[in-house]
Amino acid sequence: PSESTNSVASDPIEPMNRGTFWVNHQLYHYVFLPISDVYKTVVPKLARKSIDNVFDNARYPIRVVNDLLQGNPERAGQETAKFFVNSTYGLAGLGRPSDRTPGLEDVPAADTGITLAKWGVPNGPYFVIPILGPSTARDTVGLIGDYGLNPLTYVSIFWPYTWLIVVPTTNTVRALPHQMEVYDAATGNALDRYLAVRTAYIQYRNAAVAK
């Protein structure tokens, strides 16, 4: 991708972004972090890993469709093989035998935001989404695309209404430990948490696009 694609536009709404970031920080510190700690205490590490694997395996349509949209059928084939191995030998995705399978152990994950970047769409303005955290205009559109490709989005069509609450809640809680670790790593020694997260996010997304 070109430099203009990877660069982020200036921060024209920094005061609003900082305000939202402050609110998010309070939620992370006083709400999400305690929930994460309880989850880690109640659910054993191996079980947490299995739950993460199941949700990651379910995101296969997001990855394979975006691989094809990026004109990379070879990587789409790798994703399909990875999904098959994990869904069968991994017992419906509870395990990840693909991590020990040559050629499948390190397949870069694709998403709609990365696809837009590959097509030359620039990041656009940076802004902070309430609760969700850092994003750009491009990645926000990408989130909408990922939501539409995620099979869990449509689970309520085939299951009782309870599943509309249970599945998203489980997905949110199981992701908290990793998200809290990433946030702490970016802000732990930072003089300005906002700038630290902004820089870390843009660098992370640029690296994902470059793979």
Side-chain angles (χ1 to χ4, degrees), residues 171-209:
N171 189 29
T172 299
V173 173
R174 67 93 194 170
L176 283 178
H178 175 69
Q179 292 174 344
M180 294 298 99
E181 288 175 5
V182 171
Y183 182 76
D184 287 343
T187 63
N189 298 316
L191 296 177
D192 187 329
R193 292 192 187 95
Y194 171 79
L195 289 181
V197 170
R198 181 180 186 270
T199 299
Y201 176 79
I202 297 302
Q203 290 177 344
Y204 166 74
R205 291 300 289 171
N206 286 349
V209 171

PDB file of all heavy atoms in Angstrom, residues 171-209:
ATOM      1  N   ASN A 171     -18.954 -13.571  23.799  1.00  0.00           N
ATOM      2  CA  ASN A 171     -17.876 -13.104  22.929  1.00  0.00           C
ATOM      3  C   ASN A 171     -17.175 -11.893  23.536  1.00  0.00           C
ATOM      4  O   ASN A 171     -15.948 -11.782  23.496  1.00  0.00           O
ATOM      5  CB  ASN A 171     -18.428 -12.763  21.550  1.00  0.00           C
ATOM      6  CG  ASN A 171     -17.335 -12.473  20.540  1.00  0.00           C
ATOM      7  OD1 ASN A 171     -16.221 -12.989  20.635  1.00  0.00           O
ATOM      8  ND2 ASN A 171     -17.638 -11.630  19.577  1.00  0.00           N
ATOM      9  N   THR A 172     -17.957 -10.987  24.114  1.00  0.00           N
ATOM     10  CA  THR A 172     -17.382  -9.783  24.721  1.00  0.00           C
ATOM     11  C   THR A 172     -16.540 -10.121  25.936  1.00  0.00           C
ATOM     12  O   THR A 172     -15.399  -9.658  26.069  1.00  0.00           O
ATOM     13  CB  THR A 172     -18.496  -8.799  25.128  1.00  0.00           C
ATOM     14  OG1 THR A 172     -19.229  -8.401  23.962  1.00  0.00           O
ATOM     15  CG2 THR A 172     -17.908  -7.565  25.791  1.00  0.00           C
ATOM     16  N   VAL A 173     -17.078 -10.938  26.821  1.00  0.00           N
ATOM     17  CA  VAL A 173     -16.376 -11.266  28.064  1.00  0.00           C
ATOM     18  C   VAL A 173     -15.109 -12.068  27.779  1.00  0.00           C
ATOM     19  O   VAL A 173     -14.050 -11.808  28.364  1.00  0.00           O
ATOM     20  CB  VAL A 173     -17.300 -12.052  29.020  1.00  0.00           C
ATOM     21  CG1 VAL A 173     -16.515 -12.543  30.235  1.00  0.00           C
ATOM     22  CG2 VAL A 173     -18.460 -11.170  29.468  1.00  0.00           C
ATOM     23  N   ARG A 174     -15.185 -13.039  26.867  1.00  0.00           N
ATOM     24  CA  ARG A 174     -14.012 -13.892  26.617  1.00  0.00           C
ATOM     25  C   ARG A 174     -12.878 -13.081  25.991  1.00  0.00           C
ATOM     26  O   ARG A 174     -11.694 -13.432  26.128  1.00  0.00           O
ATOM     27  CB  ARG A 174     -14.398 -15.064  25.729  1.00  0.00           C
ATOM     28  CG  ARG A 174     -14.804 -14.741  24.298  1.00  0.00           C
ATOM     29  CD  ARG A 174     -13.662 -14.814  23.325  1.00  0.00           C
ATOM     30  NE  ARG A 174     -13.997 -14.199  22.044  1.00  0.00           N
ATOM     31  CZ  ARG A 174     -13.095 -13.975  21.099  1.00  0.00           C
ATOM     32  NH1 ARG A 174     -11.833 -14.287  21.266  1.00  0.00           N
ATOM     33  NH2 ARG A 174     -13.461 -13.397  19.960  1.00  0.00           N
ATOM     34  N   ALA A 175     -13.194 -11.979  25.289  1.00  0.00           N
ATOM     35  CA  ALA A 175     -12.165 -11.166  24.645  1.00  0.00           C
ATOM     36  C   ALA A 175     -11.528 -10.158  25.597  1.00  0.00           C
ATOM     37  O   ALA A 175     -10.466  -9.599  25.280  1.00  0.00           O
ATOM     38  CB  ALA A 175     -12.761 -10.422  23.442  1.00  0.00           C
ATOM     39  N   LEU A 176     -12.140  -9.919  26.754  1.00  0.00           N
ATOM     40  CA  LEU A 176     -11.662  -8.877  27.662  1.00  0.00           C
ATOM     41  C   LEU A 176     -10.222  -9.074  28.147  1.00  0.00           C
ATOM     42  O   LEU A 176      -9.447  -8.110  28.148  1.00  0.00           O
ATOM     43  CB  LEU A 176     -12.613  -8.740  28.854  1.00  0.00           C
ATOM     44  CG  LEU A 176     -13.919  -7.998  28.592  1.00  0.00           C
ATOM     45  CD1 LEU A 176     -14.780  -7.988  29.844  1.00  0.00           C
ATOM     46  CD2 LEU A 176     -13.650  -6.574  28.120  1.00  0.00           C
ATOM     47  N   PRO A 177      -9.824 -10.275  28.597  1.00  0.00           N
ATOM     48  CA  PRO A 177      -8.449 -10.414  29.097  1.00  0.00           C
ATOM     49  C   PRO A 177      -7.391  -9.962  28.095  1.00  0.00           C
ATOM     50  O   PRO A 177      -6.464  -9.223  28.446  1.00  0.00           O
ATOM     51  CB  PRO A 177      -8.349 -11.915  29.402  1.00  0.00           C
ATOM     52  CG  PRO A 177      -9.738 -12.321  29.731  1.00  0.00           C
ATOM     53  CD  PRO A 177     -10.597 -11.519  28.786  1.00  0.00           C
ATOM     54  N   HIS A 178      -7.527 -10.395  26.851  1.00  0.00           N
ATOM     55  CA  HIS A 178      -6.551 -10.006  25.832  1.00  0.00           C
ATOM     56  C   HIS A 178      -6.607  -8.506  25.579  1.00  0.00           C
ATOM     57  O   HIS A 178      -5.556  -7.839  25.469  1.00  0.00           O
ATOM     58  CB  HIS A 178      -6.812 -10.763  24.534  1.00  0.00           C
ATOM     59  CG  HIS A 178      -5.925 -10.332  23.405  1.00  0.00           C
ATOM     60  ND1 HIS A 178      -4.575 -10.583  23.390  1.00  0.00           N
ATOM     61  CD2 HIS A 178      -6.196  -9.630  22.258  1.00  0.00           C
ATOM     62  CE1 HIS A 178      -4.043 -10.079  22.285  1.00  0.00           C
ATOM     63  NE2 HIS A 178      -5.001  -9.499  21.585  1.00  0.00           N
ATOM     64  N   GLN A 179      -7.807  -7.957  25.486  1.00  0.00           N
ATOM     65  CA  GLN A 179      -7.942  -6.529  25.224  1.00  0.00           C
ATOM     66  C   GLN A 179      -7.361  -5.686  26.353  1.00  0.00           C
ATOM     67  O   GLN A 179      -6.727  -4.660  26.110  1.00  0.00           O
ATOM     68  CB  GLN A 179      -9.420  -6.188  24.993  1.00  0.00           C
ATOM     69  CG  GLN A 179      -9.974  -6.777  23.709  1.00  0.00           C
ATOM     70  CD  GLN A 179     -11.473  -6.557  23.569  1.00  0.00           C
ATOM     71  OE1 GLN A 179     -12.161  -6.236  24.532  1.00  0.00           O
ATOM     72  NE2 GLN A 179     -11.981  -6.740  22.362  1.00  0.00           N
ATOM     73  N   MET A 180      -7.566  -6.127  27.583  1.00  0.00           N
ATOM     74  CA  MET A 180      -7.012  -5.409  28.721  1.00  0.00           C
ATOM     75  C   MET A 180      -5.486  -5.484  28.722  1.00  0.00           C
ATOM     76  O   MET A 180      -4.806  -4.509  29.063  1.00  0.00           O
ATOM     77  CB  MET A 180      -7.565  -5.969  30.028  1.00  0.00           C
ATOM     78  CG  MET A 180      -9.058  -5.757  30.254  1.00  0.00           C
ATOM     79  SD  MET A 180      -9.542  -4.002  30.352  1.00  0.00           S
ATOM     80  CE  MET A 180     -10.162  -3.721  28.676  1.00  0.00           C
ATOM     81  N   GLU A 181      -4.929  -6.624  28.327  1.00  0.00           N
ATOM     82  CA  GLU A 181      -3.482  -6.774  28.254  1.00  0.00           C
ATOM     83  C   GLU A 181      -2.900  -5.833  27.197  1.00  0.00           C
ATOM     84  O   GLU A 181      -1.863  -5.194  27.421  1.00  0.00           O
ATOM     85  CB  GLU A 181      -3.117  -8.218  27.927  1.00  0.00           C
ATOM     86  CG  GLU A 181      -3.358  -9.194  29.068  1.00  0.00           C
ATOM     87  CD  GLU A 181      -3.101 -10.629  28.662  1.00  0.00           C
ATOM     88  OE1 GLU A 181      -2.650 -10.844  27.515  1.00  0.00           O
ATOM     89  OE2 GLU A 181      -3.357 -11.543  29.484  1.00  0.00           O
ATOM     90  N   VAL A 182      -3.550  -5.768  26.046  1.00  0.00           N
ATOM     91  CA  VAL A 182      -3.082  -4.889  24.971  1.00  0.00           C
ATOM     92  C   VAL A 182      -3.160  -3.430  25.415  1.00  0.00           C
ATOM     93  O   VAL A 182      -2.223  -2.642  25.190  1.00  0.00           O
ATOM     94  CB  VAL A 182      -3.914  -5.104  23.689  1.00  0.00           C
ATOM     95  CG1 VAL A 182      -3.587  -4.046  22.640  1.00  0.00           C
ATOM     96  CG2 VAL A 182      -3.676  -6.498  23.131  1.00  0.00           C
ATOM     97  N   TYR A 183      -4.247  -3.068  26.055  1.00  0.00           N
ATOM     98  CA  TYR A 183      -4.427  -1.684  26.513  1.00  0.00           C
ATOM     99  C   TYR A 183      -3.371  -1.329  27.551  1.00  0.00           C
ATOM    100  O   TYR A 183      -2.761  -0.252  27.490  1.00  0.00           O
ATOM    101  CB  TYR A 183      -5.830  -1.515  27.089  1.00  0.00           C
ATOM    102  CG  TYR A 183      -6.134  -0.107  27.555  1.00  0.00           C
ATOM    103  CD1 TYR A 183      -6.409   0.892  26.627  1.00  0.00           C
ATOM    104  CD2 TYR A 183      -6.147   0.220  28.903  1.00  0.00           C
ATOM    105  CE1 TYR A 183      -6.687   2.187  27.038  1.00  0.00           C
ATOM    106  CE2 TYR A 183      -6.428   1.511  29.328  1.00  0.00           C
ATOM    107  CZ  TYR A 183      -6.698   2.488  28.390  1.00  0.00           C
ATOM    108  OH  TYR A 183      -6.960   3.781  28.802  1.00  0.00           O
ATOM    109  N   ASP A 184      -3.134  -2.219  28.506  1.00  0.00           N
ATOM    110  CA  ASP A 184      -2.135  -1.961  29.546  1.00  0.00           C
ATOM    111  C   ASP A 184      -0.734  -1.846  28.945  1.00  0.00           C
ATOM    112  O   ASP A 184       0.076  -1.021  29.387  1.00  0.00           O
ATOM    113  CB  ASP A 184      -2.155  -3.064  30.599  1.00  0.00           C
ATOM    114  CG  ASP A 184      -3.377  -2.985  31.507  1.00  0.00           C
ATOM    115  OD1 ASP A 184      -4.025  -1.923  31.533  1.00  0.00           O
ATOM    116  OD2 ASP A 184      -3.693  -3.993  32.178  1.00  0.00           O
ATOM    117  N   ALA A 185      -0.450  -2.682  27.946  1.00  0.00           N
ATOM    118  CA  ALA A 185       0.863  -2.640  27.312  1.00  0.00           C
ATOM    119  C   ALA A 185       1.093  -1.307  26.604  1.00  0.00           C
ATOM    120  O   ALA A 185       2.208  -0.774  26.588  1.00  0.00           O
ATOM    121  CB  ALA A 185       1.016  -3.795  26.320  1.00  0.00           C
ATOM    122  N   ALA A 186       0.030  -0.757  26.017  1.00  0.00           N
ATOM    123  CA  ALA A 186       0.151   0.501  25.273  1.00  0.00           C
ATOM    124  C   ALA A 186       0.197   1.712  26.189  1.00  0.00           C
ATOM    125  O   ALA A 186       0.826   2.729  25.865  1.00  0.00           O
ATOM    126  CB  ALA A 186      -1.013   0.644  24.295  1.00  0.00           C
ATOM    127  N   THR A 187      -0.442   1.621  27.346  1.00  0.00           N
ATOM    128  CA  THR A 187      -0.592   2.805  28.199  1.00  0.00           C
ATOM    129  C   THR A 187       0.176   2.744  29.510  1.00  0.00           C
ATOM    130  O   THR A 187       0.265   3.743  30.215  1.00  0.00           O
ATOM    131  CB  THR A 187      -2.076   3.032  28.542  1.00  0.00           C
ATOM    132  OG1 THR A 187      -2.576   1.916  29.308  1.00  0.00           O
ATOM    133  CG2 THR A 187      -2.918   3.182  27.285  1.00  0.00           C
ATOM    134  N   GLY A 188       0.759   1.581  29.837  1.00  0.00           N
ATOM    135  CA  GLY A 188       1.358   1.384  31.149  1.00  0.00           C
ATOM    136  C   GLY A 188       2.337   2.457  31.580  1.00  0.00           C
ATOM    137  O   GLY A 188       2.251   2.983  32.687  1.00  0.00           O
ATOM    138  N   ASN A 189       3.290   2.821  30.711  1.00  0.00           N
ATOM    139  CA  ASN A 189       4.313   3.807  31.052  1.00  0.00           C
ATOM    140  C   ASN A 189       4.167   5.091  30.252  1.00  0.00           C
ATOM    141  O   ASN A 189       5.109   5.891  30.174  1.00  0.00           O
ATOM    142  CB  ASN A 189       5.708   3.209  30.815  1.00  0.00           C
ATOM    143  CG  ASN A 189       5.975   2.007  31.700  1.00  0.00           C
ATOM    144  OD1 ASN A 189       5.675   2.024  32.891  1.00  0.00           O
ATOM    145  ND2 ASN A 189       6.537   0.947  31.112  1.00  0.00           N
ATOM    146  N   ALA A 190       3.005   5.292  29.661  1.00  0.00           N
ATOM    147  CA  ALA A 190       2.803   6.445  28.787  1.00  0.00           C
ATOM    148  C   ALA A 190       2.488   7.712  29.583  1.00  0.00           C
ATOM    149  O   ALA A 190       1.722   7.667  30.548  1.00  0.00           O
ATOM    150  CB  ALA A 190       1.669   6.163  27.809  1.00  0.00           C
ATOM    151  N   LEU A 191       3.095   8.811  29.173  1.00  0.00           N
ATOM    152  CA  LEU A 191       2.772  10.103  29.776  1.00  0.00           C
ATOM    153  C   LEU A 191       1.422  10.602  29.267  1.00  0.00           C
ATOM    154  O   LEU A 191       0.705  11.300  29.976  1.00  0.00           O
ATOM    155  CB  LEU A 191       3.868  11.120  29.450  1.00  0.00           C
ATOM    156  CG  LEU A 191       5.258  10.814  30.012  1.00  0.00           C
ATOM    157  CD1 LEU A 191       6.267  11.861  29.546  1.00  0.00           C
ATOM    158  CD2 LEU A 191       5.210  10.761  31.540  1.00  0.00           C
ATOM    159  N   ASP A 192       1.088  10.234  28.034  1.00  0.00           N
ATOM    160  CA  ASP A 192      -0.190  10.620  27.432  1.00  0.00           C
ATOM    161  C   ASP A 192      -0.841   9.345  26.899  1.00  0.00           C
ATOM    162  O   ASP A 192      -0.473   8.849  25.831  1.00  0.00           O
ATOM    163  CB  ASP A 192       0.041  11.628  26.309  1.00  0.00           C
ATOM    164  CG  ASP A 192      -1.260  12.208  25.753  1.00  0.00           C
ATOM    165  OD1 ASP A 192      -2.282  11.492  25.754  1.00  0.00           O
ATOM    166  OD2 ASP A 192      -1.266  13.377  25.329  1.00  0.00           O
ATOM    167  N   ARG A 193      -1.786   8.783  27.646  1.00  0.00           N
ATOM    168  CA  ARG A 193      -2.416   7.523  27.241  1.00  0.00           C
ATOM    169  C   ARG A 193      -3.080   7.637  25.875  1.00  0.00           C
ATOM    170  O   ARG A 193      -3.032   6.716  25.068  1.00  0.00           O
ATOM    171  CB  ARG A 193      -3.452   7.095  28.286  1.00  0.00           C
ATOM    172  CG  ARG A 193      -2.902   6.692  29.634  1.00  0.00           C
ATOM    173  CD  ARG A 193      -4.001   6.013  30.455  1.00  0.00           C
ATOM    174  NE  ARG A 193      -3.580   5.740  31.818  1.00  0.00           N
ATOM    175  CZ  ARG A 193      -3.827   6.533  32.841  1.00  0.00           C
ATOM    176  NH1 ARG A 193      -4.507   7.648  32.663  1.00  0.00           N
ATOM    177  NH2 ARG A 193      -3.410   6.212  34.042  1.00  0.00           N
ATOM    178  N   TYR A 194      -3.723   8.756  25.647  1.00  0.00           N
ATOM    179  CA  TYR A 194      -4.450   8.944  24.388  1.00  0.00           C
ATOM    180  C   TYR A 194      -3.513   8.819  23.193  1.00  0.00           C
ATOM    181  O   TYR A 194      -3.788   8.059  22.244  1.00  0.00           O
ATOM    182  CB  TYR A 194      -5.138  10.308  24.384  1.00  0.00           C
ATOM    183  CG  TYR A 194      -5.738  10.683  23.050  1.00  0.00           C
ATOM    184  CD1 TYR A 194      -6.958  10.145  22.645  1.00  0.00           C
ATOM    185  CD2 TYR A 194      -5.086  11.575  22.186  1.00  0.00           C
ATOM    186  CE1 TYR A 194      -7.510  10.478  21.412  1.00  0.00           C
ATOM    187  CE2 TYR A 194      -5.633  11.909  20.964  1.00  0.00           C
ATOM    188  CZ  TYR A 194      -6.843  11.365  20.579  1.00  0.00           C
ATOM    189  OH  TYR A 194      -7.383  11.694  19.367  1.00  0.00           O
ATOM    190  N   LEU A 195      -2.388   9.542  23.218  1.00  0.00           N
ATOM    191  CA  LEU A 195      -1.440   9.490  22.109  1.00  0.00           C
ATOM    192  C   LEU A 195      -0.798   8.114  21.997  1.00  0.00           C
ATOM    193  O   LEU A 195      -0.538   7.631  20.886  1.00  0.00           O
ATOM    194  CB  LEU A 195      -0.362  10.556  22.282  1.00  0.00           C
ATOM    195  CG  LEU A 195      -0.800  12.004  22.073  1.00  0.00           C
ATOM    196  CD1 LEU A 195       0.391  12.943  22.268  1.00  0.00           C
ATOM    197  CD2 LEU A 195      -1.410  12.210  20.685  1.00  0.00           C
ATOM    198  N   ALA A 196      -0.562   7.471  23.138  1.00  0.00           N
ATOM    199  CA  ALA A 196       0.044   6.144  23.117  1.00  0.00           C
ATOM    200  C   ALA A 196      -0.863   5.142  22.419  1.00  0.00           C
ATOM    201  O   ALA A 196      -0.408   4.336  21.590  1.00  0.00           O
ATOM    202  CB  ALA A 196       0.347   5.687  24.540  1.00  0.00           C
ATOM    203  N   VAL A 197      -2.146   5.167  22.742  1.00  0.00           N
ATOM    204  CA  VAL A 197      -3.099   4.244  22.119  1.00  0.00           C
ATOM    205  C   VAL A 197      -3.267   4.575  20.642  1.00  0.00           C
ATOM    206  O   VAL A 197      -3.312   3.678  19.790  1.00  0.00           O
ATOM    207  CB  VAL A 197      -4.454   4.295  22.854  1.00  0.00           C
ATOM    208  CG1 VAL A 197      -5.519   3.523  22.069  1.00  0.00           C
ATOM    209  CG2 VAL A 197      -4.324   3.718  24.254  1.00  0.00           C
ATOM    210  N   ARG A 198      -3.343   5.848  20.322  1.00  0.00           N
ATOM    211  CA  ARG A 198      -3.494   6.270  18.928  1.00  0.00           C
ATOM    212  C   ARG A 198      -2.328   5.767  18.085  1.00  0.00           C
ATOM    213  O   ARG A 198      -2.518   5.176  17.015  1.00  0.00           O
ATOM    214  CB  ARG A 198      -3.574   7.797  18.849  1.00  0.00           C
ATOM    215  CG  ARG A 198      -3.747   8.363  17.441  1.00  0.00           C
ATOM    216  CD  ARG A 198      -3.816   9.887  17.525  1.00  0.00           C
ATOM    217  NE  ARG A 198      -4.126  10.483  16.248  1.00  0.00           N
ATOM    218  CZ  ARG A 198      -3.215  10.853  15.334  1.00  0.00           C
ATOM    219  NH1 ARG A 198      -1.933  10.653  15.573  1.00  0.00           N
ATOM    220  NH2 ARG A 198      -3.591  11.399  14.195  1.00  0.00           N
ATOM    221  N   THR A 199      -1.107   5.961  18.575  1.00  0.00           N
ATOM    222  CA  THR A 199       0.083   5.523  17.848  1.00  0.00           C
ATOM    223  C   THR A 199       0.130   4.006  17.722  1.00  0.00           C
ATOM    224  O   THR A 199       0.403   3.467  16.639  1.00  0.00           O
ATOM    225  CB  THR A 199       1.351   6.022  18.564  1.00  0.00           C
ATOM    226  OG1 THR A 199       1.338   7.457  18.607  1.00  0.00           O
ATOM    227  CG2 THR A 199       2.610   5.551  17.837  1.00  0.00           C
ATOM    228  N   ALA A 200      -0.144   3.317  18.819  1.00  0.00           N
ATOM    229  CA  ALA A 200      -0.097   1.852  18.810  1.00  0.00           C
ATOM    230  C   ALA A 200      -1.130   1.279  17.853  1.00  0.00           C
ATOM    231  O   ALA A 200      -0.853   0.305  17.131  1.00  0.00           O
ATOM    232  CB  ALA A 200      -0.320   1.312  20.222  1.00  0.00           C
ATOM    233  N   TYR A 201      -2.318   1.875  17.836  1.00  0.00           N
ATOM    234  CA  TYR A 201      -3.377   1.366  16.965  1.00  0.00           C
ATOM    235  C   TYR A 201      -3.015   1.523  15.496  1.00  0.00           C
ATOM    236  O   TYR A 201      -3.150   0.575  14.707  1.00  0.00           O
ATOM    237  CB  TYR A 201      -4.695   2.082  17.253  1.00  0.00           C
ATOM    238  CG  TYR A 201      -5.806   1.655  16.319  1.00  0.00           C
ATOM    239  CD1 TYR A 201      -6.474   0.454  16.527  1.00  0.00           C
ATOM    240  CD2 TYR A 201      -6.159   2.424  15.211  1.00  0.00           C
ATOM    241  CE1 TYR A 201      -7.475   0.034  15.660  1.00  0.00           C
ATOM    242  CE2 TYR A 201      -7.159   2.008  14.345  1.00  0.00           C
ATOM    243  CZ  TYR A 201      -7.812   0.820  14.575  1.00  0.00           C
ATOM    244  OH  TYR A 201      -8.791   0.405  13.702  1.00  0.00           O
ATOM    245  N   ILE A 202      -2.549   2.708  15.111  1.00  0.00           N
ATOM    246  CA  ILE A 202      -2.208   2.948  13.711  1.00  0.00           C
ATOM    247  C   ILE A 202      -1.058   2.055  13.279  1.00  0.00           C
ATOM    248  O   ILE A 202      -1.068   1.477  12.172  1.00  0.00           O
ATOM    249  CB  ILE A 202      -1.845   4.432  13.490  1.00  0.00           C
ATOM    250  CG1 ILE A 202      -3.060   5.331  13.791  1.00  0.00           C
ATOM    251  CG2 ILE A 202      -1.377   4.661  12.051  1.00  0.00           C
ATOM    252  CD1 ILE A 202      -4.280   5.026  12.957  1.00  0.00           C
ATOM    253  N   GLN A 203      -0.052   1.885  14.150  1.00  0.00           N
ATOM    254  CA  GLN A 203       1.069   1.007  13.815  1.00  0.00           C
ATOM    255  C   GLN A 203       0.605  -0.436  13.651  1.00  0.00           C
ATOM    256  O   GLN A 203       1.051  -1.145  12.732  1.00  0.00           O
ATOM    257  CB  GLN A 203       2.149   1.100  14.891  1.00  0.00           C
ATOM    258  CG  GLN A 203       2.885   2.431  14.906  1.00  0.00           C
ATOM    259  CD  GLN A 203       3.902   2.523  16.031  1.00  0.00           C
ATOM    260  OE1 GLN A 203       3.881   1.734  16.983  1.00  0.00           O
ATOM    261  NE2 GLN A 203       4.804   3.491  15.941  1.00  0.00           N
ATOM    262  N   TYR A 204      -0.274  -0.875  14.535  1.00  0.00           N
ATOM    263  CA  TYR A 204      -0.791  -2.249  14.471  1.00  0.00           C
ATOM    264  C   TYR A 204      -1.565  -2.487  13.174  1.00  0.00           C
ATOM    265  O   TYR A 204      -1.366  -3.504  12.495  1.00  0.00           O
ATOM    266  CB  TYR A 204      -1.691  -2.504  15.673  1.00  0.00           C
ATOM    267  CG  TYR A 204      -2.535  -3.752  15.563  1.00  0.00           C
ATOM    268  CD1 TYR A 204      -1.964  -5.014  15.711  1.00  0.00           C
ATOM    269  CD2 TYR A 204      -3.905  -3.657  15.308  1.00  0.00           C
ATOM    270  CE1 TYR A 204      -2.737  -6.163  15.598  1.00  0.00           C
ATOM    271  CE2 TYR A 204      -4.682  -4.801  15.197  1.00  0.00           C
ATOM    272  CZ  TYR A 204      -4.097  -6.044  15.339  1.00  0.00           C
ATOM    273  OH  TYR A 204      -4.866  -7.168  15.210  1.00  0.00           O
ATOM    274  N   ARG A 205      -2.408  -1.548  12.800  1.00  0.00           N
ATOM    275  CA  ARG A 205      -3.208  -1.722  11.592  1.00  0.00           C
ATOM    276  C   ARG A 205      -2.338  -1.631  10.340  1.00  0.00           C
ATOM    277  O   ARG A 205      -2.531  -2.367   9.374  1.00  0.00           O
ATOM    278  CB  ARG A 205      -4.334  -0.680  11.546  1.00  0.00           C
ATOM    279  CG  ARG A 205      -5.400  -0.888  12.592  1.00  0.00           C
ATOM    280  CD  ARG A 205      -6.068  -2.245  12.436  1.00  0.00           C
ATOM    281  NE  ARG A 205      -6.926  -2.282  11.249  1.00  0.00           N
ATOM    282  CZ  ARG A 205      -7.500  -3.393  10.782  1.00  0.00           C
ATOM    283  NH1 ARG A 205      -7.272  -4.562  11.369  1.00  0.00           N
ATOM    284  NH2 ARG A 205      -8.275  -3.357   9.717  1.00  0.00           N
ATOM    285  N   ASN A 206      -1.363  -0.733  10.340  1.00  0.00           N
ATOM    286  CA  ASN A 206      -0.457  -0.636   9.198  1.00  0.00           C
ATOM    287  C   ASN A 206       0.322  -1.936   9.013  1.00  0.00           C
ATOM    288  O   ASN A 206       0.555  -2.393   7.882  1.00  0.00           O
ATOM    289  CB  ASN A 206       0.505   0.539   9.378  1.00  0.00           C
ATOM    290  CG  ASN A 206      -0.168   1.890   9.170  1.00  0.00           C
ATOM    291  OD1 ASN A 206      -1.299   1.964   8.692  1.00  0.00           O
ATOM    292  ND2 ASN A 206       0.509   2.949   9.558  1.00  0.00           N
ATOM    293  N   ALA A 207       0.741  -2.541  10.124  1.00  0.00           N
ATOM    294  CA  ALA A 207       1.470  -3.808  10.059  1.00  0.00           C
ATOM    295  C   ALA A 207       0.569  -4.920   9.511  1.00  0.00           C
ATOM    296  O   ALA A 207       1.025  -5.765   8.727  1.00  0.00           O
ATOM    297  CB  ALA A 207       2.002  -4.176  11.435  1.00  0.00           C
ATOM    298  N   ALA A 208      -0.696  -4.904   9.898  1.00  0.00           N
ATOM    299  CA  ALA A 208      -1.642  -5.919   9.411  1.00  0.00           C
ATOM    300  C   ALA A 208      -1.862  -5.767   7.903  1.00  0.00           C
ATOM    301  O   ALA A 208      -1.964  -6.769   7.178  1.00  0.00           O
ATOM    302  CB  ALA A 208      -2.972  -5.797  10.153  1.00  0.00           C
ATOM    303  N   VAL A 209      -1.926  -4.537   7.428  1.00  0.00           N
ATOM    304  CA  VAL A 209      -2.114  -4.289   6.001  1.00  0.00           C
ATOM    305  C   VAL A 209      -0.891  -4.742   5.202  1.00  0.00           C
ATOM    306  O   VAL A 209      -1.014  -5.247   4.080  1.00  0.00           O
ATOM    307  CB  VAL A 209      -2.389  -2.792   5.757  1.00  0.00           C
ATOM    308  CG1 VAL A 209      -2.364  -2.477   4.250  1.00  0.00           C
ATOM    309  CG2 VAL A 209      -3.729  -2.385   6.351  1.00  0.00           C
TER     310      VAL A 209
END
